[in-house]
Amino acid sequence: MFRTTTCLLALLLAARAAAADDGASITADEDAKPVRRTRDASVGRIFKGPFPSSRLYTMPTADVVGAYVMSVSAESSLLQDTGVLTSAGVLAIGFGDIAQLEYRHTSAISITGINAPVPTAGVQVKLPLPDSLPPLGIAFRLGVPRTETFGDTDVVETVTDVYAVTRLRARGFALHAGLRLSQAKIELTRAMELARERRLALPTGGFEVAMNPTAKLVGEVSLAPRFAWMPGSIKEPEIGYGMLGRLGMRWRILPSIVLDGSIGYQLDVATNAPVQGPGAIVQWDIRLGAEVFVPWGALACRAAGVFCD
Amino acid sequence: MKRVLVVLASVSLTGGIARAQPVPDLPLEGGTEPSQPPLPPDPKPAESADGDHREPAADPYAPLPPPKPEKPLPPIYMPEVLTTPTGWLLPAAVLYSRTSLDTGGGVTSDHRFGLGDVAEFGVATTDAVRERMDDRDLRATRIQPYVTASFRLGVSEDRLFVGQPGVTLGFRKSFERNHNGFKTRIAELTLVASKNVTPRFAVHIGGAFWDASLEGIMDEATEANPEVQRREVSLHDQAQLADQVRVFGGLQIRPLDKSSILVDVGWAPEFCYRCSIDDQKIRLRPVLSWGVRYEVARWVRLEAGVRVPDIDKANLLDAQIFGQLSFTSWALRRAVDSLK
């Protein structure tokens, strides 16, 4: 199946080359200059962007959302955990063209085995490096505890991260690579008092291939903290490594709205295979998400004359 | 005097009533047509040397610019032959909806949405998944509705080189279905290629990697084992990887401009809850379908045909005649394009 996927990826890359041959212009929002905030800018012009995105699916990129722009994104899956809507979201506010404040769900594998995002609050900075060097983004995410209840035991999971991520880009193709240093903690409370903490180095990577002026093929693979504990057991909980992968597309339906869809899978790092074997595609999930950009600074400038350039 | 006042009042009243009537649809003498086209938009105000805005003298009778010619819409190739997926994707922001009825009382629907010309997302109900209670139960019945979600990603036909078939990688997975006290799930990963060999003949061929799971009380209580418990079996546990792979395909012939003859062979899972051997609890059964698609209009198609589950047993008694109506819409695409 991996061979099949590799073949398809090769086909898609070739399709990208074909698109370039056709003369299709591949937009690179990340390089375009932001819209000037002036009083006479029309609403249509304001929402035309460009609006660079600061993430692939769960992985941050070396870019930040522009100054005076807010990005709200969410994705969800009903299929991963039956009967439960697992969802993740990011709220990011850009400032100063090089930084953004954010509230997001960072990826982690919960003790029930699902990719259950853990909430974090943080800041992401794009280092002002010379153009000759690849961009470098540094993100700090302070973990907000997430509590799950199993019988008379509460399980509290917290993940705090420092991310360093860089990007290489050729025409219509981008490669992202990064390292996530994660401090993961699991605590059992009420019926039993146990805690375990571990520091993890988690490499992460991803790619984007522009298929046409508005759609990109996106894939990411990353290691994530994996919490393990058997409810009812007196054994200490454990924190290990899990691998998460996603393959799908991001489509800029409008300059300020991005839709994304993807197929996701999980691998157990110890066996380098899905927990229930490579044939267990019934454990895969489909996620659908959206990212909306709100240029609040330009809107405020147009409406009240504040935050103008 | 009174008479004069009465006459004056009558004249005023009549005048008032006359003013309240709508203007007749007659061209005014020396005036404009009644259905006057809207004026062209005001040109940009000119700016004087001192920076003040001046309103230029707009010509209200300037001719309107000719309307932009509408782009001809490309043809929409259907994402399914009759029951199996094709290597074609819906164009970006095109909506697709299909409703099907059959003589076995089955009602299914399928709703999809094209994403950026490279992917497609859909939610559907299917009645292809079937169940049997045990080894003695020879006739499988359908579990319906069985809700699935699908995501397909691919390259359109002739994208890489002339003659290249359309290729899609699709994943379809069901929500958990609780029926007769058993929980079941199915998932299917497909890779399909579709090619218009001639303008009137197309071929579809693909491979599917299937998985399914069944959870419930599957064992009979015996003296040796009086307490039976719920347990789960899955196709990936029972079968070798190769046993999960199936080949499927279809043919599409268009003898008339608006009518096509379609044939396809696909697979569907069958659960046997209390079959004595675990390997027999989840099996894949071949399904043959054939029928006709008639394009009633650009946006609506009518399909009718026959579906034979268990074609390997040549069991025609369980065959169903079905009719289905599919709609496609460019409305959202037009709305998105207008917003751009």
Side-chain angles (χ1 to χ4, degrees), chain B residues 93-113:
Chain B
V94 164
L95 302 169
Y96 167 87
S97 170
R98 195 201 68 205
T99 304
S100 174
L101 289 168
D102 66 44
T103 50
V107 182
T108 61
S109 65
D110 186 357
H111 309 282
R112 298 174 191 232
F113 174 54

Side-chain angles (χ1 to χ4, degrees), chain B residues 202-270:
Chain B
V203 181
H204 312 272
I205 187 147
F209 187 83
W210 281 93
D211 196 10
S213 72
L214 165 64
E215 188 198 328
I217 299 173
M218 291 176 246
D219 307 303
E220 300 278 354
T222 58
E223 282 184 16
N225 184 19
E227 283 187 14
V228 286
Q229 287 189 332
R230 289 184 78 86
R231 64 189 179 96
E232 185 175 359
V233 294
S234 58
L235 194 59
H236 62 262
D237 285 336
Q238 308 301 326
Q240 298 290 323
L241 275 181
D243 296 333
Q244 291 178 260
V245 178
R246 291 289 185 277
V247 175
F248 64 88
L251 296 174
Q252 202 167 323
I253 303 155
R254 192 156 58 92
L256 301 172
D257 284 348
K258 293 196 168 187
S259 302
S260 306
I261 297 169
L262 312 159
V263 183
D264 70 11
V265 179
W267 298 82
E270 182 184 290

Side-chain angles (χ1 to χ4, degrees), chain A residues 1 4 8 11-12 14-15 18-19 22 78-79 82 211-212 215 217 249 251 253 261 276 279-282 284 286 288, chain B residues 92-93 114-116 118-119 121 149 151 153 155 159-160 169 171 173 175-176 185 187 189 191 209 211 236 244 336 340:
Chain A
M1 194 48 58
T4 310
L8 190 84
L11 274 175
L12 293 168
D22 290 350
L78 254 180
L79 296 171
T82 49
M211 301 296 292
N212 61 43
L217 176 78
M249 52 70 62
W251 174 35
I253 185 168
Q276 296 195 13
I281 60 167
V282 80
W284 292 18
I286 298 169
L288 209 59
Chain B
L115 295 165
V118 293
F121 174 77
F151 181 74
L153 196 68
V155 184
R159 190 79 180 96
L160 308 179
L169 176 71
F171 181 61
K173 187 179 170 183
F175 292 78
E176 193 173 77
R185 277 188 298 167
L189 186 67
L191 184 67
F209 187 83
D211 196 10
H236 62 262
Q244 291 178 260
V336 167
K340 279 177 181 169

